[in-house]
Amino acid sequence: MKVSAIVLAGAPNNGKLEAAFPQKYEALIPLQGRPLVAWVVEALAASGQVEEIIVVGPQAQLQEALGADWPPKGKIVQSADTLLGNL
């Protein structure tokens, strides 16, 4: 049985990482030249257990960041103001 995955990627970068990385959102912080969210999406797509990946966050920035890494059955949804709203 395959499942849908929801990736919450809208947390603002206003904690400890802010001093080292200028990105507005934590999901866009680079690791080995790629945004953190791209690593998560790639792992989910490669798992073989996930049918659809939904990433919730800043839509325009995520589309740009994911670029060619985005799987065909993925969707980016603009984040809301609250965690409950995002779910």
Side-chain angles (χ1 to χ4, degrees), residues 41-61:
V41 168
E42 178 183 357
L44 289 169
S47 75
Q49 302 300 312
V50 177
E51 182 173 357
E52 176 184 36
I53 301 169
I54 301 165
V55 180
V56 181
Q59 195 169 25
Q61 292 94 329

Side-chain angles (χ1 to χ4, degrees), residues 21-74:
F21 300 99
Q23 286 74 15
K24 188 174 179 180
Y25 298 95
E26 290 180 358
L28 301 177
I29 293 172
L31 174 66
Q32 294 185 353
R34 297 174 58 206
L36 292 172
V37 68
W39 293 98
V40 174
V41 168
E42 178 183 357
L44 289 169
S47 75
Q49 302 300 312
V50 177
E51 182 173 357
E52 176 184 36
I53 301 169
I54 301 165
V55 180
V56 181
Q59 195 169 25
Q61 292 94 329
L62 287 169
Q63 286 175 336
E64 182 180 339
L66 290 170
D69 292 333
W70 191 238
K73 291 192 175 182

